Amino acid sequence: MSRRDYENDPHAPAANSLVPAASAVVVDDSGRVLLQRRRDNDMWALPGGVMEIGESLPDCAVRVSICFLARPLGGRLAVSEESTDVRWFEPGEIDALPMVPSIRKRLNDWCNGNMPATR
């Protein structure tokens, strides 16, 4: 089943659950941003994940970021069961990538120096 994010959509179905999660902008020494291509919607997204019981939002963001950074194998990043691709992108390449509006907002916050941003 594909995932759909609803934001400011008056026709969105009523919410039936709440899943706290965090994502993080991970930048390497060259200024490139780490993104994953999600398996559920084929869109590019920040590393992120669901919070665990007793975990704070910042702790969750750090944990999920470390999971992605701990995946390099032989100099290459490896995809997870939730992604089809994981890559580093130059900031100027990001605008052309398909992504949901909520992820684009987070990246725009980072580009504009508005960090940390919580949404």
Side-chain angles (χ1 to χ4, degrees):
M1 177 161 125
S2 73
R3 172 184 159 158
R4 173 154 183 218
D5 287 358
Y6 295 95
E7 184 173 353
N8 301 321
D9 183 348
H11 305 293
N16 60 11
S17 65
L18 177 63
V19 181
S23 59
V25 178
V26 179
V27 182
D28 72 4
D29 291 339
S30 299
R32 298 177 303 167
V33 179
L34 182 65
L35 297 175
Q36 64 163 326
R37 190 161 208 154
R38 294 187 55 93
R39 188 174 302 279
D40 59 4
N41 65 6
D42 205 34
M43 302 277 198
W44 289 96
L46 294 166
V50 176
M51 288 175 59
E52 295 178 354
I53 299 292
E55 189 174 44
S56 71
L57 192 60
D59 288 342
C60 178
V62 169
R63 177 181 51 80
V64 298
S65 297
I66 288 171
C67 287
F68 276 90
L69 293 175
R71 290 185 180 277
L73 302 171
R76 297 179 319 187
L77 292 168
V79 298
S80 72
E81 63 279 352
E82 296 176 0
S83 59
T84 60
D85 197 358
V86 180
R87 283 193 238 167
W88 294 102
F89 288 93
E90 297 291 336
E93 298 174 296
I94 295 172
D95 283 344
L97 299 174
M99 63 183 61
V100 297
S102 60
I103 297 297
R104 192 159 312 277
K105 280 183 182 180
R106 290 179 182 101
L107 284 162
N108 287 340
D109 284 340
W110 170 75
C111 286
N112 295 326
N114 299 327
M115 296 302 281
T118 55
R119 295 203 179 273

